[in-house]
Amino acid sequence: MREAKQRGLLKAFTTLGITGLLSTCLTAEGQGVSVKPNIVLIIADDLGYECIGADGGTSYKTPVLDNLAKTGARFEHCYSQPLCTPSRVQIMTGMYNVRNYVRFGLLDRRQTTFAHLLKRDGYVTCIAGKWQLGNQQDAPQHFGFDEACLWQHTVRGNKTDGHDNRYVNPTIDINGKTIALPEGSFGPDVCSDFLCDFMEAHKAEPFFIYYPMILTHCPFVPTPDSMDWDPTSKGSPSYKGQAKYFSDMVTYMDKMVGKITAKLETLGLRDNTLILFTSDNGTDKPVVSFMNGRRVAGGKGKMTDAGTRVPLIANWPGVIPEGRVYTDLVDFSDFLPTLCEAAGVAVPSALKIDGRSFLPQLQGKKGAPREWIYCWYNRSGRPTGKEWTRNQRYKLYRTGEFYDVSKDIFEKKPFATLSPEAQRMRAMLQEALDRYKNARPVELVNEGEK
């Protein structure tokens, strides 16, 4: 009864638009009890915007995510980096890669992450899934996570015989130590089970879960729900596997999201939990999908929409109005301030992040929508990278190419002549580009030249 009353009061507070502040509920004794929301951030691996049914995708079954969008909100213009490590660095730090990206497979240990900020304010923190950000045994804890269950942490991504070690009979580290798993274990199951156990253990305190999923990255292989699943397999002997299994992997990814939401329901925590779902970059080659009757080829690694446009679904019962579809711009630097505002955590001004909170929009308010977003990308971290700024329609590269991506999604024909509106948009985007003209720190320029 007391917990139900507290949830009801929390809904009332958030409806009034004061979520992000410390809510106070009354106990039976009349004393104040702080109630902070739980936060679950889920990032699929190599899953483009076109793969989700709620976004118009017709090639795969994603009933859990479709329902989260139906009972929550989705964004049509969320953009990641073109590749996994750059996206993970940006989302965890709230900064554009031009300012703090070092090289593939590494997060600079001098960086402050969203886990640091939430942990300092009383959250218990957990990460499970794919790491690939440094092989030091203490790396997850160094970056603010109390508990960690990770693939590609202290152990490389392949077994000594060359077989992949992330899916069937995987190699997984828990808090920096490789664990022995029973035959037939499936990496995504190991990680999602770990998260469910974590929620069970910490149901009485506010928690933050960061779930960078192993799925749906290649190799494309059978899942435990596939007809030809082999629990004795050593893993795929090839990097890509077989693309025919991508559909099974998308469905299993959706199932893993369902496992997390079901556990929250069982624990009575669903009403006090913000769930955000996105992906680290576009779909990989050679996958081809269909969205709204249009053929979409995977473009992971490209600077086009095929490589950077990703799904974003948000769900928080009683806080996020149901069925909302937002056209506001969001990029990966925006997640850190959004999580912090939802938790009532101040982002230190000294961090000088690039992100902007989209929590007000989630609450049904106008908020402060972006006029543009920015992207700097270089996989190796060399001094110069590919750069663009864009809004929902127009896109400008540092090299001068200017596109109407609403009509030229593959960026085949840059503008030859500009209308008055296009001229204004180009000037605005050029001004945005110029803000980052000399943003690369000297120490990173030197690092990239090594």
Side-chain angles (χ1 to χ4, degrees), residues 299-433:
K300 172 183 176 179
K302 295 182 178 180
M303 293 283 273
T304 62
D305 274 20
T308 60
R309 189 186 184 194
V310 292
L312 172 54
I313 294 171
N315 194 288
W316 188 355
V319 178
I320 298 176
E322 294 190 4
R324 291 293 181 95
V325 179
Y326 295 100
T327 58
D328 291 356
L329 290 166
V330 174
D331 70 30
F332 268 31
S333 71
D334 297 329
F335 283 79
L336 182 148
T338 301
L339 302 183
C340 286
E341 186 176 3
V345 176
V347 179
S349 58
L351 287 183
K352 298 179 180 179
I353 65 170
D354 298 293
R356 180 182 301 184
S357 172
F358 54 89
L359 181 69
Q361 289 96 310
L362 294 181
Q363 295 171 308
K365 304 174 185 178
K366 180 180 178 181
R370 284 176 167 274
E371 293 184 358
W372 51 266
I373 59 174
Y374 168 80
C375 178
W376 181 97
Y377 169 65
N378 187 309
R379 183 185 189 277
S380 68
R382 292 188 180 278
T384 59
K386 298 179 181 179
E387 293 176 87
W388 51 248
T389 50
R390 67 167 294 166
N391 60 15
Q392 292 89 336
R393 180 176 179 181
Y394 297 102
K395 187 173 185 180
L396 176 65
Y397 283 83
R398 175 72 72 185
T399 48
E401 293 90 347
F402 184 45
Y403 298 94
D404 182 344
V405 287
S406 69
K407 298 178 180 178
D408 183 14
I409 195 169
F410 299 112
E411 302 177 15
K412 298 294 185 181
K413 296 180 179 180
F415 278 105
T417 59
L418 302 181
S419 68
E421 178 195 10
Q423 291 179 32
R424 290 193 299 272
M425 292 297 100
R426 193 190 190 287
M428 182 268 288
L429 294 176
Q430 184 64 56
E431 181 181 353
L433 270 176

Side-chain angles (χ1 to χ4, degrees), residues 275-292:
I275 296 177
L276 293 171
F277 173 88
T278 187
S279 174
D280 64 349
N281 48 249
T283 310
D284 200 0
K285 304 172 184 178
V287 175
V288 176
S289 311
F290 286 87
M291 180 182 70
N292 296 325

